[in-house]
Amino acid sequence: MNAQTPETGYHYGVIRRALEIIDQGAADLSLDQLAAEMRMSPAHFQRVFSRWVGVSPKRYQQYLTLDHARALLRENFTTLEASAEVGLSGSGRLHDLFVKWEAMSPGDYARGGAGLRVFWGWFDSPFGLALVAGTERGICGVGFAAETGEEATMQDLLSRWPKAAFVEDPMALRPWVLAAFGAENAADPTPLYLIGAPFQVQVWEALLRIPSGQVTTYGEIAESIGNPRAVRAVGTAVGRNPVSWLIPCHRALRKSGGLGGYHWGLPVKRAMLAYEAARADAIG
């Protein structure tokens, strides 16, 4: 059962091809030229973009350029300490998709998920095919297969909790997934169940304080958790975030404004940043 209509995955395929064309230095292509490059009519291409984010393809091209990340860092940088001061804590509404999370105890994590039952299923998402995993308490894993492939994505998530019992049951997760990817008919918010080492959980909680459409740096995250010298360790923890998109590791950039890495492929990270910025622009 798909979380949204199949067109959402198709839309990401269109965006992925657009990324490749723009990366080749074609950011100034007209609508007609870009549509022709992707073998689509201009009208259909325009509809796909408008349905996906609500802005024109030309405007979206600006968000997809590498310079956009640097502009985000200049204009939409989030100071995590300030977020905490205004009440954005674990009990607050830190994300527009869910209102709460809880973390597995360090002892349970050390046991590799022994005794834990994890449901999983494949779903369409705005960023291609997504593998979603969850326990009875909430979603604990989200991976994207567009760049890495389905088999590698599956093995990646399954290997994180080697002693857990994995059960294929997408219907058990469907209500949470609908909310996670912004479906209009979603009934409930999406709870998260964080399964990681204590330091990793600290980093992921910091990521949850970054508002949609804004970014921060790895150094800022290290500062916010009281360990300013642990920038490299923070980067590793960001990369090990098992709940991509919902724990927004795509909003963490290098101090220079460079994208840094992304576990599921840099095109996915750039598409996520562009998607959020374009939607914020459309709403504003």
Side-chain angles (χ1 to χ4, degrees), residues 110-218:
R111 287 190 285 273
L116 192 68
R117 186 167 61 162
V118 179
F119 306 104
W120 64 271
W122 289 99
F123 298 86
D124 281 324
S125 84
F127 312 105
L129 194 62
L131 175 63
V132 182
T135 71
E136 294 178 350
R137 299 183 181 183
I139 287 180
C140 64
V142 179
F144 296 94
E147 306 297 325
T148 60
E150 294 180 32
E151 183 176 352
T153 302
M154 174 68 78
Q155 289 302 314
D156 186 299
L157 282 186
L158 295 185
S159 67
R160 293 172 185 251
W161 314 294
K163 297 181 181 179
F166 290 89
V167 180
E168 184 177 8
D169 190 354
M171 289 303 296
L173 301 169
R174 189 175 185 273
W176 292 340
V177 174
L178 285 170
F181 293 124
E184 293 181 359
N185 59 339
D188 299 306
T190 303
L192 297 184
Y193 187 50
L194 308 188
I195 304 177
F199 180 81
Q200 292 175 327
V201 172
Q202 272 192 301
V203 172
W204 302 340
E205 289 177 348
L207 290 171
L208 286 166
R209 293 198 292 271
I210 310 171
S212 179
Q214 299 192 28
V215 295
T216 194
T217 65
Y218 300 109

Side-chain angles (χ1 to χ4, degrees), residues 16 32 39 89 110 278:
R16 183 185 181 190
D32 288 353
R39 299 179 182 179
S89 62

Side-chain angles (χ1 to χ4, degrees), residues 44-61:
H44 182 50
F45 184 51
Q46 180 92 11
R47 282 196 300 272
V48 167
F49 267 79
S50 296
R51 192 179 306 138
W52 203 60
V53 290
V55 297
S56 71
K58 187 65 179 179
R59 182 67 170 157
Y60 192 71
Q61 281 177 294

Side-chain angles (χ1 to χ4, degrees), residues 14-280:
V14 172
I15 300 305
R16 183 185 181 190
R17 295 199 300 276
L19 276 168
E20 293 171 351
I21 294 169
I22 292 167
D23 281 345
Q24 294 168 5
D28 58 349
L29 285 178
S30 68
L31 171 63
D32 288 353
Q33 290 172 320
L34 189 55
E37 287 281 348
M38 290 190 286
R39 299 179 182 179
M40 300 171 67
S41 71
H44 182 50
F45 184 51
Q46 180 92 11
R47 282 196 300 272
V48 167
F49 267 79
S50 296
R51 192 179 306 138
W52 203 60
V53 290
V55 297
S56 71
K58 187 65 179 179
R59 182 67 170 157
Y60 192 71
Q61 281 177 294
Q62 297 171 1
Y63 292 123
L64 289 176
T65 61
L66 291 174
D67 287 341
H68 173 61
R70 295 182 177 87
L72 276 175
L73 201 56
R74 289 194 304 269
E75 301 168 11
N76 294 296
F77 176 73
T78 295
T79 301
L80 296 177
E81 286 84 351
S83 297
E85 289 174 4
V86 296
L88 296 181
S89 62
S91 60
R93 188 178 179 87
L94 303 188
H95 196 291
D96 55 0
L97 301 179
F98 51 84
V99 296
K100 65 177 182 178
W101 75 87
E102 62 176 305
M104 173 180 278
S105 71
D108 288 338
Y109 171 71
R111 287 190 285 273
L116 192 68
R117 186 167 61 162
V118 179
F119 306 104
W120 64 271
W122 289 99
F123 298 86
D124 281 324
S125 84
F127 312 105
L129 194 62
L131 175 63
V132 182
T135 71
E136 294 178 350
R137 299 183 181 183
I139 287 180
C140 64
V142 179
F144 296 94
E147 306 297 325
T148 60
E150 294 180 32
E151 183 176 352
T153 302
M154 174 68 78
Q155 289 302 314
D156 186 299
L157 282 186
L158 295 185
S159 67
R160 293 172 185 251
W161 314 294
K163 297 181 181 179
F166 290 89
V167 180
E168 184 177 8
D169 190 354
M171 289 303 296
L173 301 169
R174 189 175 185 273
W176 292 340
V177 174
L178 285 170
F181 293 124
E184 293 181 359
N185 59 339
D188 299 306
T190 303
L192 297 184
Y193 187 50
L194 308 188
I195 304 177
F199 180 81
Q200 292 175 327
V201 172
Q202 272 192 301
V203 172
W204 302 340
E205 289 177 348
L207 290 171
L208 286 166
R209 293 198 292 271
I210 310 171
S212 179
Q214 299 192 28
V215 295
T216 194
T217 65
Y218 300 109
E220 175 71 13
I221 294 171
E223 289 274 0
S224 74
I225 63 173
N227 203 338
R229 296 185 178 181
V231 176
R232 181 169 295 182
V234 163
T236 299
V238 168
R240 292 296 296 169
N241 164 30
V243 195
S244 298
W245 176 244
L246 299 184
I247 298 176
C249 53
H250 59 280
R251 298 176 193 160
L253 307 179
R254 291 174 177 165
K255 187 176 181 180
S256 65
L259 288 178
Y262 192 65
H263 194 75
W264 306 112
L266 282 179
V268 176
K269 180 173 185 174
R270 287 176 57 199
M272 287 178 174
L273 288 170
Y275 180 86
E276 289 183 331
R279 289 180 69 87

